[in-house]
Amino acid sequence: MARSHSVSLLDPAILLPAVGASFRKLDPRAMVKNPVMFVVEVVALLTTVLFVRDLITSGTGLSASGGSLGFSFQIILWLWFTVLFANFAEAVAEGRGKAQAESLRRTRTETVAKLLTGEGDAFRTVPGTSLKVGDVVLVEAGDIIPSDGEVVEGVASVNEAAITGESAPVIRESGGDRSAVTGGTTVVSDHLKVRITAAAGATFLDRMIALVEGAERQKTPNEIALNILLAGMTLIFIFATASIPSFAYYAGGSISVVVLVALFVTLIPTTIGALLSAIGIAGMDRLVRFNVLAMSGRAVEAAGDVDTLLLDKTGTITLGNRQASAFHPVRGVSEQDLADAAQLASLADETPEGRSIVVLAKEKYAIRGRDMASLNAHFVPFTAQTRMSGVDVDGSSVRKGAVDAILTYVQAGASTVTASGAVQNVRTLVSQESIREINAIAEEIAKSGGTPLAVARDGRLLGVIHLKDIVKGGIRERFAELRRMGIRTVMITGDNALTAAAIAAEAGVDDFLAQATPEAKLRLIRDEQAKGKLVAMCGDGTNDAPALAQADVGVAMNTGTVAAREAGNMVDLDSDPTKLIEIVEIGKALLMTRGSLTTFSIANDVAKYFAIIPAMFVAFYPQLGTLNVMALHSPQSAILSAIIFNALIIIALIPLALKGVAFRPIGAAALLKRNLLIYGLGGILVPFVGIKAIDLAVTALHLV
Amino acid sequence: MLKELRPAFVVLIALTAFTGLAYPLAMTGAAQVLFPRQANGSLITRDGAVIGSALIGQNFASERYFHGRPSATTGADPADATKTVPAPYNAANSMGSNLGPTNPALADRVKADLETLRAENPRDPVPVDLVTTSGSGLDPHISPQAALFQVPRVAKARGVNEGVVRRLVEENMEDRTLGLLGEPRVNVLALNLALDKARPQ
Amino acid sequence: MTSNGLIQIALFCLVVLVLTRPLGGYMTRVFAGERTFLSPVLKPVETLVFRLGGVDASREQHWLTYTIAMLLFHAGGFLLLYALMRVQDLLPFNPQGMAAVAPDLAFNTAISFITNTNWQNYGGESTMGYLVQMLGLTHQNFLSAATGIVLGMALIRGFSRASAQTVGNFWVDITRCTLYVLLPICVVFTLFLVWQGIPQTLGPYVDAATLDGGKQTLALGPVASQVAIKMLGTNGGGFFNANAAHPFENPTALSNFLQMVSIFALGAALTNVFGRMVGNEKQGWAILGAMGVLFVAGVAVTYWAEAAGTPALNALGLSGGNMEGKELRFGIVASALFAVITTAASCGAVNAMHDSFTALGGMIPLINMELGEIIVGGVGAGLYGMLLFVVITMFVAGLMVGRTPEYVGKKIEAKEVKMAMLAILILPLMMLGWTAVATVLPSAVASIANPGPHGFSEILYAFTSATANNGSAFGGLTGNTFFYNLTLASSMFVGRFLMIVPAMALAGALAAKKTVPASAGTFPTTGGLFVGLLVGVILIVGGLTFFPALSLGPIVEHLAAAAGQSFGAGG
């Protein structure tokens, strides 16, 4: 869904409502949450009241303090713009989420549920909203699943496009790790019995709507700390500006309230104050568009801080499927022969492993594909009981499978079905020696991180196929990148230590946890945390739940169980464990954006001082004109230009706040140097240029 | 908090006794034994009477003596104890002028002094230390240039050859400490004593 | 500016740097309770004090208990000092028969000395008897300095400990600091100073019949023992009114040099203690590096401005720089250097009159104090002031590398930022707030000695110096009035204790945190980038706060002076 509705920044559907929202957000009860902008609103209000008073009491066009009313009016106008622009930034950031929430809401149509009464398949139809936790409902093909739940009976394919945006249906079945279903998704074939696990209004879809809408948005720890910093700086500038009238009085001059307010507002960190909440919302939004739902902003921030990444081997580090990499024949059998038999046994095997055997036989031994039909072959499929598969052709039977299964098979005496269908017993041709040999080869393969697959023909052991875990392309580079980011990767696998070590070395992870049990995983996380590190992991199984809950960032796969989804603080709708790495980068980008814009905001003050201070004091200390380094036209144009710049920079930075400052894995020092150069030095220089340009425009337009 | 009262009391008393009594008194004892001259103010006596301290400048108004730098110290007005009057080189009330750089009073004072000095020695440029007050008002030194500047006046007042006076000045010049720290200087009191010794009044 | 001048400055920096490591190592051992070469003599004394006081040296305190202990200690010290001054006419060792000190002046002075400010609204030689000088002032010179150091230590412990509930034991720390660090150095330093010519006697003032026929009263006293700790402990309260400009407090260029070194010695060493205790001395050097950059820049400006001289006097045909208010034996460079050192640290001793400095030359000391005296700073106080800025710097910079900011393994979070901001806020509130009050009160303005912007600078300097616990002054301002005695006392009190409490809360919060191991994603805080960043944040945050005030004081005065303008009374 999120993917299919990626909304552009300049979409009028967002901008227009945002303009309205900018005004609605002027409500002081809402503004007070943002101390910096609240202060701006207060002083804007104050100057407006004074302005109205001046307007009424003096008909001369001069305010009580001597400045012209037209000038005061413009300053006040831009003060209000400053507040409105801040509100606008927040509204635009929320806008995208709101639009997404809206389309999510549309999918949450009124559903009816087939509530099972408890006697067989009998049900009565009730409104979906009336379901309680623990109710069991029947969902048949074409039905929308009424609420979140767990499959208690049946297998069905479910279209989850409403949640994930992915239209290919997924299998949901009772038991195991694919038992969770989400309200709002549609059963495409078969039927399911689902036990409801979420009360009305508290479903995954509801939570998703609330999240993308930002309704539940709470300030994150770093955001709180930053707010304190900004509030503190605001206080400092209150002292700095409030003391000026006394100083001016000593010098025999006076400063009008409007000018003082203008100085104050340009000095306090309005830029970051205005964009702070937009940055936070946009950070969450980036995750949503990435099809990851963070249950709290805290989790997104924590992602940026992650020190240790626990990654499941299968699917994350290695391709989910193993591939044939070599044929190891027993003595007396040629490799060619083994390859030939293996290829034959795999011709009809459509599993990735099977296909990889055919590919290997072709590439390495030039054994071309054969047509099953023309061979008049009979395919024996894999079953959980036999744990092997194969083919019978021309009176010959070829089998491949788990080593112990094949051994059992050849020792029991192979049977083959001839083309005519008659069953014929074949003498056992297996010696103790070849069994020992097969076992030795199998052990060797296991040690190197592979899986052995034995091959037999007509009751005779031919050898072993080496199935290898294939490390994903480019993953090594990703881990090197993570290392440069200061993140340690730990591979989690059920394999034994030998196998794990081999794969870990190949993939370039920093460490591994072999024969991982849920307890071992939990212990590993706790150990890392005791060292002061933040740990991220992903998981889908019920037994992952404790570890997901313990981890600082626990990403649950959407395909996972209800328990896993409850335990994690993020849900990946695509169920792609590699995303953990991108999640970390999004977290970092969020923090970086805040830091960079704070730096920029504070650095801006230097130029503003050089615009306003001389303008303020030049009336009674003409010498201070020397500080007017920008050669601004007049004191009034200088002050007006500074306040206009201060307001416009908010608008100018909205795209950056929403897009975020991109993270680059180049090491902390280099990254800081880069950001300092752009936002620190840039923050000092840009306003000099900007204020000068605005001053030229203000002068040209005779605004003052 | 009450638990901390006893240590507060004891530690305060103990440390007060160590640092406020034992330490200064022991130091006084040691100083009196090791460096009695310095410990008592580096006093200079002549004919049994204390005529000053080697470290403290004195007010010289007579033309026959080298003058020190202007001094901004004050003393109680003999007529009205609540008021103060200028009392240069008052070693019981050290102070500077505290005149700021844009205070016309500073420029006026300097201008007046400059006129006097230029009248006295139109030949040489007036060294800055002769027209500026020192921080303590008790500066015992003047720069070698300031001493040389006064040679014509002193020689004239004493009726001696300028060369003789100049040689005395040169004998009394002190270089920077270790050739590095501080500034080259002449101790005015020492120079004047040498002057008197060379040709007693 | 002369090459000799630059060499004197370089030599000073070199000597301080050379002393930093050995002193830092020694202090680290002392505060860890390890044996030092002085233990055979001092251990029995220390043990006796602890036994009498019921102090269990092995039991540490929570930050709050530590702070309360410190406050109690100071309450006692305040009462003692105030009482001594109020009844000094009845006490022995008062050969000059000094009268009891007036209540408001005694109050101001007591606050001044317990806060390590040593602002003096009185002339020492004309107000205080020897017993008050020793038992009251010398003693507080020790204790307020020791307090600064132990609070700095508590904060260092906060950074260096992990998951700890305590930050040390105040009674143990203060006793050890006094006995092992301050007293031994002072004993040696005192003797050196006496050798150089500083009096150390209990005898009365001496009357001299001067050469030119006048009479001169030479003020004397137990001067050297007080001067030693006044410098070493960055106290700065002069025995005499003219402070270190007085030939009896600072007789030679050599005594001047070592006094300057002693101002910085302990403060610089504490950065090394910090580095050692957080497990990487480079962390300490980086902090000292940032201090060094700011220091050298300040010295350069002041030296240049003073060497260039006063435009009004140069216009009269004078050359040789601004010698008004300076002693000849020190000259321009040692005076400018001293002024920057004394305000970079919270010493406040002066060997030249800052009020008579050029506008820019006097602005640097003012800025040094406005920044909170974090350039080496007051013993202990400088380090914790600097660490507050480090917290702020790392918070902003840390975010820019995409992590929750951390410094020496400690995450900087809301609580740390709050405490740091609280402490930093105090400075402008008191400095600018009271200045704003004073500049509109005719009676307060009447105290200024120089009209125009310079008079404004005098008032600003007074409250800045008091809040920053420096104690130096633009001395023309008549501070001994009821208004200034009280307002300056409040500045000193707030500037000291309201900064200490948040700093200690920060220490407690940090100690309780886990220590995060550094990784490639951690911003390294030992390099030039960190130093540059820290300097930048200090200048921008500090500079922005005070720019308006500075532009109405020294900046406009400089521009006016350069244009040949002066500001007369009534003009």
Side-chain angles (χ1 to χ4, degrees):
Chain A
M1 187 316 298
R3 197 184 291 157
S4 50
H5 287 76
S6 76
V7 186
S8 142
L9 241 186
L10 298 171
D11 191 336
I14 287 180
L15 293 185
L16 293 178
V19 171
S22 311
F23 286 92
R24 276 195 302 281
K25 282 173 185 281
L26 287 175
D27 184 344
R29 283 166 301 181
M31 289 294 296
V32 78
K33 286 183 195 146
N34 183 342
V36 177
M37 296 320 293
F38 180 69
V39 169
V40 179
E41 186 178 30
V42 168
V43 295
L45 202 62
L46 175 78
T47 47
T48 309
V49 170
L50 290 178
F51 176 75
V52 172
R53 190 200 64 185
D54 285 352
L55 203 60
I56 294 166
T57 54
S58 85
T60 61
L62 281 174
S63 75
S65 48
S68 83
L69 279 176
F71 169 72
S72 298
F73 176 75
Q74 291 187 67
I75 295 284
I76 292 165
L77 198 64
W78 282 101
L79 288 177
W80 283 112
F81 276 142
T82 310
V83 185
L84 287 171
F85 289 168
N87 290 345
F88 180 71
E90 194 181 65
V92 169
E94 287 169 346
R96 275 209 286 223
K98 283 225 167 73
Q100 278 156 2
E102 209 43 55
S103 51
L104 275 177
R105 270 206 196 87
R106 278 197 295 275
T107 65
R108 195 182 53 177
T109 45
E110 272 298 300
T111 52
V112 288
K114 296 167 179 169
L115 181 65
L116 290 167
T117 52
E119 298 133 26
D121 281 352
F123 63 81
R124 64 193 156 83
T125 306
V126 298
T129 49
S130 73
L131 291 173
K132 291 186 292 294
V133 175
D135 287 346
V136 179
V137 296
L138 177 72
V139 195
E140 291 171 299
D143 290 352
I144 290 175
I145 299 174
S147 185
D148 297 355
E150 194 166 7
V151 179
V152 290
E153 194 188 309
V155 184
S157 53
V158 178
N159 183 339
E160 295 194 336
I163 303 289
T164 64
E166 180 64 60
S167 54
V170 293
I171 299 295
R172 295 289 175 209
E173 59 193 349
S174 60
D177 290 345
R178 295 169 160 260
S179 61
V181 290
T182 310
T185 57
T186 313
V187 172
V188 183
S189 67
D190 304 294
H191 69 273
L192 295 171
K193 284 185 185 165
V194 175
R195 187 174 52 236
I196 301 302
T197 55
T203 66
F204 189 70
L205 196 61
D206 292 318
R207 245 162 59 201
M208 192 165 163
I209 290 170
L211 278 170
V212 296
E213 216 172 25
E216 281 178 13
R217 212 180 89 80
Q218 284 175 329
K219 286 198 181 124
T220 58
N222 274 310
E223 200 177 348
I224 291 170
L226 188 51
N227 252 315
I228 292 171
L229 179 82
L230 298 181
M233 298 206 63
T234 306
L235 276 174
I236 287 180
F237 287 123
I238 287 180
F239 304 152
T241 45
S243 55
I244 288 177
S246 298
F247 300 169
Y249 171 81
Y250 171 90
S254 70
I255 312 282
S256 79
V257 175
V258 167
V259 170
L260 212 56
V261 162
L263 174 68
F264 172 66
V265 169
T266 50
L267 289 183
I268 61 173
T270 46
T271 313
I272 179 68
L275 297 173
L276 193 55
S277 74
I279 293 169
I281 296 166
M284 296 283 280
D285 189 52
R286 272 198 295 283
L287 269 184
V288 170
R289 275 181 296 145
F290 203 59
N291 257 5
V292 174
L293 280 191
M295 297 305 157
S296 69
R298 183 185 285 267
V300 186
E301 260 181 15
D305 282 345
V306 160
D307 303 287
T308 307
L309 215 51
L310 305 190
L311 297 166
D312 277 329
K313 182 198 80 174
T314 308
T316 310
I317 295 171
T318 63
L319 296 170
N321 314 305
R322 286 167 290 213
Q323 294 187 352
S325 67
F327 299 110
H328 299 283
V330 294
R331 233 174 308 149
V333 179
S334 73
E335 268 188 52
Q336 187 76 24
D337 219 13
L338 173 60
D340 186 65
Q343 189 251 18
L344 197 56
S346 308
L347 275 178
D349 184 354
E350 285 302 314
T351 63
E353 286 91 346
R355 282 199 294 264
S356 77
I357 293 170
V358 176
V359 169
L360 181 68
K362 184 177 172 188
E363 282 176 353
K364 215 166 163 191
Y365 304 100
I367 297 164
R368 283 184 293 114
R370 284 167 278 201
D371 181 18
M372 288 285 280
S374 66
L375 283 174
N376 192 19
H378 171 73
F379 178 60
V380 182
F382 178 89
T383 68
Q385 284 76 39
T386 61
R387 290 191 294 138
M388 57 185 185
S389 63
V391 68
D392 292 331
V393 56
D394 294 341
S396 172
S397 71
V398 184
R399 294 288 182 277
K400 69 170 202 299
V403 174
D404 55 334
I406 294 289
L407 287 180
T408 317
Y409 162 75
V410 292
Q411 277 164 324
S415 66
T416 186
V417 184
T418 60
S420 58
V423 176
Q424 158 186 16
N425 277 328
V426 183
R427 194 167 50 89
T428 303
L429 295 169
V430 63
S431 65
Q432 287 306 311
E433 204 180 317
S434 58
I435 291 173
R436 265 200 305 279
E437 206 181 338
I438 288 282
N439 277 329
I441 296 170
E443 200 174 313
E444 202 57 39
I445 290 171
K447 262 187 205 164
S448 71
T451 310
L453 213 57
V455 181
R457 183 166 59 203
D458 301 337
R460 186 171 165 225
L461 286 169
L462 295 180
V464 184
I465 305 168
H466 183 166
L467 287 181
K468 206 179 155 196
D469 262 317
I470 301 300
V471 172
K472 283 187 174 174
I475 199 89
R476 220 189 147 79
E477 289 69 41
R478 290 304 290 276
F479 290 147
E481 202 172 271
L482 284 169
R483 207 167 297 123
R484 281 199 298 278
M485 286 157 68
I487 295 172
R488 208 167 73 90
T489 44
V490 181
M491 181 181 85
I492 308 288
T493 172
D495 295 340
N496 63 46
L498 279 176
T499 310
I503 296 170
E506 193 185 341
V509 292
D510 297 310
D511 203 354
F512 63 87
L513 179 67
Q515 282 159 341
T517 57
E519 295 73 39
K521 255 196 222 183
L522 196 57
R523 202 163 46 240
L524 175 66
I525 294 174
R526 289 203 171 125
D527 286 352
E528 289 287 308
Q529 286 172 336
K531 283 186 253 168
K533 296 183 173 178
L534 260 61
V535 183
M537 68 166 288
C538 51
D540 51 4
T542 300
N543 57 16
D544 281 334
L548 278 173
Q550 179 71 36
D552 302 281
V553 178
V555 182
M557 300 295 106
N558 191 40
T559 53
T561 59
V562 173
R565 276 185 2 190
E566 289 292 328
N569 46 18
M570 290 192 194
V571 176
D572 178 15
L573 301 174
D574 297 338
S575 306
D576 172 7
T578 34
K579 271 203 197 160
L580 209 43
I581 298 169
E582 277 90 359
I583 291 172
V584 169
E585 291 187 352
I586 288 176
K588 285 191 179 294
L590 173 64
L591 296 178
M592 275 173 43
T593 311
R594 283 203 199 118
S596 301
L597 289 181
T598 304
T599 307
F600 185 83
S601 189
I602 295 171
N604 269 205
D605 281 3
V606 177
K608 293 170 188 168
Y609 259 137
F610 279 100
I612 297 187
I613 291 288
M616 248 173 141
F617 298 146
V618 79
F620 47 94
Y621 281 144
Q623 300 91 341
L624 286 174
T626 314
L627 294 181
N628 183 7
V629 292
M630 286 173 272
L632 303 177
H633 180 256
S634 70
Q636 291 199 334
S637 76
I639 293 167
L640 189 60
S641 304
I643 197 110
I644 292 176
F645 175 84
N646 192 57
L648 290 184
I649 196 76
I650 296 173
I651 291 286
L653 288 174
I654 289 177
L656 180 66
L658 297 188
K659 201 161 68 61
V661 173
F663 177 78
R664 283 154 200 268
I666 51 175
L671 194 60
L672 183 68
K673 211 175 279 175
R674 190 191 144 81
N675 286 335
L676 266 182
L677 209 62
I678 299 174
Y679 301 100
L681 195 61
I684 292 177
L685 298 179
V686 163
F688 277 103
V689 179
I691 292 174
K692 178 68 188 173
I694 294 171
D695 181 70
L696 290 175
V698 162
T699 312
L701 297 170
H702 299 290
L703 290 180
V704 289
Chain B
M1 184 159 161
L2 287 176
K3 213 173 56 189
E4 305 295 334
L5 278 177
R6 179 176 156 202
F9 186 75
V10 172
V11 174
L12 180 65
I13 295 300
L15 294 185
T16 306
F18 293 151
T19 62
L21 285 174
Y23 159 74
L25 294 179
M27 286 294 98
T28 307
Q32 291 292 337
V33 173
L34 293 172
F35 310 107
R37 188 180 60 83
Q38 294 98 314
N40 291 307
S42 309
L43 301 177
I44 298 174
T45 52
R46 196 164 68 174
D47 310 329
V50 176
I51 59 157
S53 164
L55 298 174
I56 303 290
Q58 298 188 353
N59 191 29
F60 292 99
S62 160
E63 301 241 306
R64 298 170 45 80
Y65 284 118
F66 282 90
H67 298 171
R69 303 176 60 192
S71 164
T73 56
T74 60
D77 187 343
D80 179 358
T82 61
K83 289 194 180 123
T84 57
V85 289
Y89 289 93
N90 178 355
N93 190 20
S94 56
M95 65 169 74
S97 75
N98 282 317
L99 290 176
T102 51
N103 193 334
L106 172 66
D108 292 348
R109 188 201 75 204
V110 170
K111 204 182 287 172
D113 286 356
L114 274 176
E115 273 163 25
T116 317
L117 287 166
R118 280 179 181 149
E120 180 186 309
N121 180 353
R123 202 177 54 204
D124 298 314
V126 181
V128 69
D129 54 308
L130 272 189
V131 292
T132 49
T133 63
S134 64
S136 61
L138 303 173
D139 196 339
H141 299 109
I142 52 176
S143 64
Q145 296 78 16
L148 293 173
F149 182 89
Q150 299 182 49
V151 167
R153 186 199 74 225
V154 174
K156 192 173 155 213
R158 298 214 166 216
V160 295
N161 190 314
E162 279 189 23
V164 175
V165 180
R166 191 179 304 275
R167 211 184 57 245
L168 274 175
V169 169
E170 278 156 6
E171 280 168 9
N172 275 280
M173 281 184 193
E174 299 167 54
D175 193 14
R176 293 188 165 101
T177 309
L178 311 170
L180 188 66
L181 298 176
E183 298 295 330
R185 58 202 179 271
V186 175
N187 185 308
V188 182
L189 180 57
L191 174 59
N192 285 335
L193 276 170
L195 205 56
D196 278 357
K197 204 167 150 199
R199 186 179 262 255
Q201 287 166 297
Chain C
M1 291 169 101
T2 63
S3 57
N4 167 268
L6 298 177
I7 292 171
Q8 290 197 43
I9 293 168
L11 183 69
F12 167 78
C13 296
L14 185 73
V15 171
V16 170
L17 284 177
V18 166
L19 286 175
T20 296
R21 226 177 151 259
L23 264 178
Y26 175 70
M27 286 169 81
T28 310
R29 283 198 296 283
V30 167
F31 286 103
E34 287 168 23
R35 216 181 142 72
T36 67
F37 71 102
L38 288 172
S39 298
V41 186
L42 297 174
K43 192 76 189 169
V45 181
E46 175 194 316
T47 312
L48 181 68
V49 173
F50 292 162
R51 187 170 309 145
L52 289 175
V55 176
D56 178 357
S58 63
R59 201 182 53 84
E60 293 211 339
Q61 297 163 324
H62 184 258
W63 74 265
L64 196 57
T65 319
Y66 197 100
T67 311
I68 288 170
M70 182 275 296
L71 291 173
L72 269 178
F73 189 67
H74 279 77
F78 171 81
L79 290 176
L80 185 67
L81 179 52
Y82 181 80
L84 275 175
M85 282 186 281
R86 296 287 295 128
V87 299
Q88 76 160 341
D89 51 329
L90 309 174
L91 298 173
F93 295 118
N94 186 1
Q96 297 311 119
M98 298 292 181
V101 181
D104 62 333
L105 180 60
F107 174 76
N108 180 290
T109 306
I111 293 284
S112 173
F113 276 75
I114 65 162
T115 56
N116 197 251
T117 312
N118 303 19
W119 174 273
Q120 292 167 298
N121 274 341
Y122 61 90
E125 65 269 48
S126 55
T127 315
M128 300 298 175
Y130 294 167
L131 191 73
V132 171
Q133 293 273 22
M134 295 191 300
L135 196 56
L137 305 183
T138 304
H139 149 247
Q140 271 306 331
N141 270 326
F142 272 97
L143 298 192
S144 66
T147 302
I149 295 175
V150 305
L151 292 171
M153 281 307 302
L155 186 57
I156 293 177
R157 290 192 186 115
F159 276 106
S160 67
R161 291 179 174 182
S163 312
Q165 293 306 308
T166 59
V167 294
N169 183 314
F170 177 76
W171 307 117
V172 173
D173 286 347
I174 193 112
T175 308
R176 286 198 178 137
C177 182
T178 309
L179 292 181
Y180 288 83
V181 180
L182 299 178
L183 265 175
I185 300 176
C186 281
V187 166
V188 178
F189 195 28
T190 301
L191 293 177
F192 166 83
L193 292 173
V194 175
W195 174 57
Q196 284 295 299
I198 300 189
Q200 180 70 22
T201 173
L202 296 174
Y205 295 178
V206 172
D207 284 334
T210 62
L211 217 49
D212 204 12
K215 183 178 152 288
Q216 189 180 38
T217 301
L218 296 165
L220 297 169
V223 186
S225 58
Q226 188 174 333
V227 169
I229 185 62
K230 135 188 153 183
M231 294 299 171
L232 187 71
T234 64
N235 294 281
F239 195 95
F240 301 111
N241 188 41
N243 211 305
H246 196 296
F248 275 161
E249 276 202 57
N250 197 0
T252 65
L254 186 60
S255 72
N256 186 62
F257 186 80
L258 283 187
Q259 287 189 17
M260 293 193 296
V261 168
S262 66
I263 295 174
F264 266 9
L266 295 183
L270 275 168
T271 62
N272 183 258
V273 175
F274 174 76
R276 285 173 192 264
M277 288 188 60
V278 299
N280 182 359
E281 281 187 63
K282 282 186 191 161
Q283 300 282 9
W285 291 117
I287 292 203
L288 191 59
M291 293 170 167
V293 170
L294 290 166
F295 174 68
V296 170
V299 172
V301 173
T302 300
Y303 181 33
W304 167 79
E306 292 308 300
T310 309
L313 300 195
N314 291 350
L316 298 174
L318 287 171
S319 64
N322 177 17
M323 279 301 287
E324 180 73 13
K326 293 187 180 64
E327 298 287 300
L328 193 98
R329 61 192 178 284
F330 308 139
I332 301 238
V333 65
S335 300
L337 184 58
F338 196 109
V340 178
I341 293 168
T342 197
T343 49
S346 88
C347 184
V350 294
N351 79 348
M353 295 302 120
H354 293 188
D355 209 355
S356 296
F357 270 35
T358 58
L360 292 185
M363 181 173 77
I364 295 298
L366 193 51
I367 291 177
N368 277 343
M369 296 185 295
E370 284 170 341
L371 296 179
E373 288 165 351
I374 46 171
I375 306 166
V376 180
V379 285
L383 183 69
Y384 64 69
M386 188 55 138
L387 288 174
L388 294 172
F389 268 110
V390 169
V391 165
I392 299 299
T393 303
M394 288 315 293
F395 181 71
V396 176
L399 285 177
M400 274 198 289
V401 301
R403 278 175 75 88
T404 293
E406 58 201 46
Y407 179 64
V408 294
K410 295 291 187 177
K411 282 212 154 75
I412 311 286
E413 291 167 296
K415 182 158 188 195
E416 288 72 41
V417 173
K418 190 192 289 171
M419 292 307 156
M421 277 319 281
L422 263 181
I424 289 175
L425 269 175
I426 293 304
L427 299 179
L429 176 64
M430 300 311 285
M431 292 174 182
L432 296 174
W434 280 126
T435 304
V437 172
T439 45
V440 293
L441 283 181
S443 62
V445 172
S447 277
I448 63 171
N450 294 285
H454 199 86
F456 174 75
S457 300
E458 284 180 346
I459 296 174
L460 178 64
Y461 196 104
F463 288 107
T464 304
S465 169
T467 309
N469 298 143
N470 184 277
S472 71
F474 271 13
L477 186 80
T478 309
N480 188 13
T481 68
F482 189 74
F483 172 79
Y484 283 110
N485 274 332
L486 259 57
T487 51
L488 289 171
S490 83
S491 300
M492 294 186 273
F493 185 85
V494 169
R496 177 77 165 181
F497 296 109
L498 261 61
M499 184 144 172
I500 282 175
V501 174
M504 287 299 292
L506 179 66
L510 287 169
K513 278 173 183 270
K514 289 180 197 161
T515 301
V516 186
S519 74
T522 317
F523 167 49
T525 51
T526 52
L529 186 59
F530 168 74
V531 171
L533 187 67
L534 183 56
V535 168
V537 168
I538 290 167
L539 285 183
I540 290 198
V541 171
L544 291 176
T545 312
F546 295 101
F547 190 66
L550 289 174
S551 62
L552 292 177
I555 294 176
V556 74
E557 188 187 15
H558 168 74
L559 295 169
Q565 284 170 284
S566 63
F567 298 89

